[in-house]
Amino acid sequence: MPFVLFSLILLPCLFFIGLVTFVRAVQVAIEDMVHARGMARIRHYYVEIAPIMQKYLIHSTHDDRSAVLVDKGFNPSPLQYFMTTAGMVSTISGAIAGVFTGIVATSVIGSGMSLGVISGILAFVTSILLLRHYHARAWAAAEQKLMTLFPGVPGK
């Protein structure tokens, strides 16, 4: 019983810390994307002033999404989300939510172990999906607010 009480108090606190960390990690990733686009605009300006500089630049002089992220062979995998700080934090937070839900189901509600495991897995998956949805929406909203000034040439 002391373990259950300890878990019921501690796990929601840990989940809260995970949520706050997740939201901040999403914000930082968006800030990085904005800064990368800004640096692309600066490179574009330098090349307009001195075209000879183009051959010395590694990164794109275009500020659209594809030019900034993909121009040097960055091909994200379908699991790329989990390789980000926000994705890692959402997975750990989801695990904490799952354990908390399983403990509540087995100890407080009094269901069997199998129902506790199933409810824990459902909480884990639901948490990750909700946080992933938040991340995708926040990123898309930030990209919509950023006007592309120097789009890349398609097919180049």
Side-chain angles (χ1 to χ4, degrees):
M1 187 62 173
F3 171 76
V4 172
L5 183 60
F6 178 74
S7 298
L8 294 176
I9 294 169
L10 183 65
L11 292 176
C13 296
L14 291 175
F15 184 73
F16 175 75
I17 291 169
L19 282 179
V20 172
T21 304
F22 169 80
V23 170
R24 185 61 191 136
V26 169
Q27 291 172 346
V28 168
I30 290 170
E31 289 169 5
D32 285 349
M33 179 261 298
V34 171
H35 294 142
R37 296 241 184 127
M39 287 184 281
R41 290 177 182 180
I42 293 168
R43 286 189 297 274
H44 188 87
Y45 173 74
Y46 286 154
V47 169
E48 279 183 346
I49 299 287
I52 191 80
M53 286 187 67
Q54 179 74 48
K55 66 181 178 182
Y56 298 106
L57 298 176
I58 296 171
H59 295 287
S60 178
T61 59
H62 304 289
D63 67 341
D64 57 346
R65 179 181 195 269
S66 62
V68 171
L69 296 176
V70 184
D71 71 326
K72 297 300 172 205
F74 180 73
N75 295 317
S77 77
L79 299 175
Q80 186 65 38
Y81 169 72
F82 297 104
M83 295 177 215
T84 66
T85 302
M88 177 201 57
V89 172
S90 75
T91 303
I92 293 169
S93 295
I96 291 170
V99 170
F100 176 77
T101 303
I103 289 172
V104 167
T106 56
S107 300
V108 177
I109 298 173
S111 66
M113 182 63 77
S114 59
L115 185 59
V117 169
I118 291 170
S119 64
I121 290 170
L122 287 174
F124 172 70
V125 170
T126 301
S127 177
I128 288 177
L129 290 175
L130 288 173
L131 293 176
R132 175 66 183 119
H133 179 70
Y134 170 85
H135 190 172
R137 288 191 63 189
W139 189 274
E143 281 195 325
Q144 274 188 334
K145 290 179 186 174
L146 260 181
M147 188 169 62
T148 299
L149 301 178
F150 310 109
V153 180
K156 193 174 181 186

